[in-house]
Amino acid sequence: MEFELRPRQGVPPVLLGATLAEARSAIEGLGFLEVRDFRRSPDEPDALFFHGPVDRVSGFAYGDEDGRVEAIELANPNPRNEPGQGQDQVTYSKLDVFSSTARDVIRTLGAETEIDSYGDSLMVPDLFMQFWRGGEDHDRVDDNGDPTFFNSVLLAIEGYY
Protein backbone atom coordinates (compact mmCIF):
# COMPACT_ATOMS: atom_id res chain seq x y z
CA MET A 1 0.00 0.00 0.00
CA GLU A 2 1.21 3.50 -0.75
CA PHE A 3 0.79 6.32 1.73
CA GLU A 4 1.26 9.72 0.09
CA LEU A 5 2.42 12.62 2.26
CA ARG A 6 0.27 15.59 1.27
CA PRO A 7 1.26 18.77 3.11
CA ARG A 8 -1.67 20.73 4.52
CA GLN A 9 -3.99 17.77 3.75
CA GLY A 10 -2.69 14.67 5.51
CA VAL A 11 -1.85 11.12 4.56
CA PRO A 12 -5.00 9.81 2.87
CA PRO A 13 -7.19 8.31 4.01
CA VAL A 14 -6.21 10.03 7.29
CA LEU A 15 -6.72 13.76 6.89
CA LEU A 16 -5.51 16.64 9.00
CA GLY A 17 -8.47 18.27 10.73
CA ALA A 18 -10.55 15.07 10.75
CA THR A 19 -11.91 13.89 14.07
CA LEU A 20 -10.02 11.11 15.81
CA ALA A 21 -13.11 8.91 15.30
CA GLU A 22 -12.91 9.53 11.54
CA ALA A 23 -9.17 8.81 11.61
CA ARG A 24 -9.75 5.57 13.55
CA SER A 25 -12.32 4.41 11.01
CA ALA A 26 -9.98 5.22 8.11
CA ILE A 27 -7.03 3.42 9.73
CA GLU A 28 -9.09 0.36 10.68
CA GLY A 29 -10.22 0.09 7.06
CA LEU A 30 -6.58 -0.43 6.02
CA GLY A 31 -6.16 -3.77 7.79
CA PHE A 32 -3.86 -2.82 10.66
CA LEU A 33 -3.65 -5.37 13.47
CA GLU A 34 -4.20 -2.84 16.21
CA VAL A 35 -5.61 0.67 16.43
CA ARG A 36 -5.79 1.96 19.98
CA ASP A 37 -6.09 5.14 21.99
CA PHE A 38 -2.79 6.65 23.03
CA ARG A 39 -1.41 9.60 24.99
CA ARG A 40 2.20 10.75 25.08
CA SER A 41 1.62 12.02 28.63
CA PRO A 42 -1.40 12.57 30.91
CA ASP A 43 -1.58 16.28 30.07
CA GLU A 44 -1.45 15.73 26.28
CA PRO A 45 -4.55 15.47 24.04
CA ASP A 46 -5.82 12.11 22.81
CA ALA A 47 -4.10 10.33 19.95
CA LEU A 48 -4.26 7.00 18.10
CA PHE A 49 -1.54 4.39 17.71
CA PHE A 50 -1.63 1.80 14.92
CA HIS A 51 0.66 -1.02 13.82
CA GLY A 52 1.20 -4.35 12.08
CA PRO A 53 1.43 -6.79 10.54
CA VAL A 54 5.17 -7.12 9.90
CA ASP A 55 6.51 -4.95 7.08
CA ARG A 56 3.61 -2.50 7.40
CA VAL A 57 4.10 1.07 8.53
CA SER A 58 3.12 1.90 12.08
CA GLY A 59 2.31 5.28 13.43
CA PHE A 60 0.28 7.82 15.32
CA ALA A 61 -2.51 10.25 14.62
CA TYR A 62 -2.12 13.05 17.17
CA GLY A 63 -5.21 14.97 18.19
CA ASP A 64 -5.60 18.53 19.39
CA GLU A 65 -7.68 19.74 22.35
CA ASP A 66 -10.83 19.50 20.21
CA GLY A 67 -10.19 15.89 19.19
CA ARG A 68 -9.12 16.72 15.64
CA VAL A 69 -6.05 15.30 13.91
CA GLU A 70 -3.22 17.83 13.99
CA ALA A 71 -0.32 15.55 13.05
CA ILE A 72 0.29 12.13 11.51
CA GLU A 73 3.51 10.22 12.15
CA LEU A 74 4.56 7.15 10.19
CA ALA A 75 7.46 4.84 11.00
CA ASN A 76 9.61 2.94 8.54
CA PRO A 77 8.29 -0.62 8.23
CA ASN A 78 11.72 -2.08 7.51
CA PRO A 79 14.57 -0.11 9.11
CA ARG A 80 16.87 -3.16 9.23
CA ASN A 81 15.86 -4.66 5.86
CA GLU A 82 17.05 -3.70 2.44
CA PRO A 83 15.17 -0.72 1.00
CA GLY A 84 11.93 -1.60 -0.73
CA GLN A 85 11.30 -4.84 1.16
CA GLY A 86 8.41 -3.43 3.17
CA GLN A 87 4.84 -4.01 2.15
CA ASP A 88 4.04 -0.29 2.44
CA GLN A 89 5.56 2.75 0.78
CA VAL A 90 5.47 6.30 2.13
CA THR A 91 5.93 8.80 -0.68
CA TYR A 92 6.34 12.50 -1.19
CA SER A 93 6.46 13.84 -4.73
CA LYS A 94 6.79 10.23 -6.02
CA LEU A 95 9.86 9.62 -3.86
CA ASP A 96 9.67 6.73 -1.38
CA VAL A 97 11.00 8.51 1.72
CA PHE A 98 11.94 5.28 3.53
CA SER A 99 13.44 3.28 0.65
CA SER A 100 15.38 6.26 -0.72
CA THR A 101 18.54 7.24 1.10
CA ALA A 102 18.30 10.16 3.48
CA ARG A 103 20.72 12.02 1.19
CA ASP A 104 18.32 11.58 -1.77
CA VAL A 105 15.34 12.73 0.31
CA ILE A 106 17.29 15.77 1.52
CA ARG A 107 18.43 16.58 -2.04
CA THR A 108 14.86 16.30 -3.40
CA LEU A 109 13.33 18.41 -0.65
CA GLY A 110 16.18 20.93 -0.74
CA ALA A 111 15.63 21.52 -4.47
CA GLU A 112 12.00 22.36 -3.73
CA THR A 113 12.04 24.28 -0.46
CA GLU A 114 14.08 25.31 2.56
CA ILE A 115 15.14 22.56 4.94
CA ASP A 116 16.69 22.76 8.40
CA SER A 117 18.82 19.96 9.80
CA TYR A 118 19.19 19.40 13.54
CA GLY A 119 21.32 16.32 14.17
CA ASP A 120 19.13 13.32 13.36
CA SER A 121 16.11 15.54 12.62
CA LEU A 122 15.25 17.27 9.35
CA MET A 123 12.61 20.02 9.41
CA VAL A 124 10.79 21.16 6.29
CA PRO A 125 9.02 24.29 7.60
CA ASP A 126 7.09 25.22 4.43
CA LEU A 127 5.61 21.71 4.19
CA PHE A 128 5.06 21.21 7.93
CA MET A 129 7.05 17.96 7.82
CA GLN A 130 9.76 16.55 10.02
CA PHE A 131 11.93 13.50 9.33
CA TRP A 132 14.04 11.52 11.82
CA ARG A 133 16.84 9.07 11.37
CA GLY A 134 18.94 7.36 13.94
CA GLY A 135 18.21 5.26 16.95
CA GLU A 136 18.88 1.63 17.63
CA ASP A 137 17.10 0.28 14.54
CA HIS A 138 19.74 1.52 12.12
CA ASP A 139 22.65 -0.72 11.24
CA ARG A 140 23.63 1.07 8.03
CA VAL A 141 25.41 4.42 8.09
CA ASP A 142 26.75 6.71 5.38
CA ASP A 143 30.29 8.07 4.97
CA ASN A 144 29.64 10.65 7.70
CA GLY A 145 28.42 8.04 10.17
CA ASP A 146 24.79 9.18 9.85
CA PRO A 147 22.02 6.57 9.47
CA THR A 148 21.47 5.96 5.77
CA PHE A 149 17.66 5.97 5.86
CA PHE A 150 14.98 7.92 7.67
CA ASN A 151 13.04 5.92 10.23
CA SER A 152 10.01 8.18 10.66
CA VAL A 153 8.23 11.19 9.24
CA LEU A 154 5.64 13.52 10.77
CA LEU A 155 3.22 15.65 8.77
CA ALA A 156 1.38 18.35 10.72
CA ILE A 157 -0.99 21.28 10.50
CA GLU A 158 0.34 24.81 10.22
CA GLY A 159 1.41 26.07 13.64
CA TYR A 160 2.08 22.59 15.08
CA TYR A 161 5.77 23.41 15.66
Side-chain angles (χ1 to χ4, degrees):
M1 174 167 284
E2 181 179 337
F3 293 91
E4 183 183 358
L5 300 168
R6 294 184 186 172
R8 296 174 186 80
Q9 293 178 18
V11 185
V14 182
L15 302 178
L16 296 170
T19 66
L20 285 173
E22 291 167 335
R24 177 187 295 277
S25 179
I27 294 166
E28 287 174 343
L30 298 174
F32 285 96
L33 293 177
E34 180 182 23
V35 182
R36 65 176 167 86
D37 295 332
F38 172 81
R39 278 193 176 189
R40 291 183 270 195
S41 68
D43 60 334
E44 292 281 330
D46 291 334
L48 298 172
F49 167 73
F50 55 93
H51 75 92
V54 175
D55 289 337
R56 297 283 320 264
V57 296
S58 59
F60 300 91
Y62 297 110
D64 63 13
E65 295 295 333
D66 296 324
R68 297 206 169 270
V69 176
E70 65 177 358
I72 303 159
E73 182 176 2
L74 297 174
N76 189 340
N78 59 345
R80 290 182 183 248
N81 297 338
E82 288 300 316
Q85 287 184 349
Q87 172 177 345
D88 292 332
Q89 292 182 317
V90 178
T91 62
Y92 173 73
S93 193
K94 299 187 181 184
L95 178 72
D96 185 331
V97 301
F98 292 145
S99 290
S100 301
T101 66
R103 283 185 181 169
D104 287 343
V105 173
I106 291 167
R107 187 177 311 118
T108 298
L109 290 168
E112 180 179 321
T113 188
E114 180 181 327
I115 57 175
D116 299 316
S117 185
Y118 304 97
D120 288 340
S121 176
L122 176 76
M123 295 286 296
V124 189
D126 291 347
L127 303 177
F128 312 107
M129 287 195 293
Q130 184 172 9
F131 294 82
W132 292 273
R133 60 180 168 171
E136 61 189 45
D137 290 333
H138 281 281
D139 296 333
R140 294 180 309 279
V141 294
D142 63 21
D143 297 340
N144 298 325
D146 293 322
T148 308
F149 300 95
F150 285 110
N151 62 349
S152 66
V153 59
L154 183 132
L155 179 66
I157 62 169
E158 186 173 353
Y160 182 78
Y161 297 105

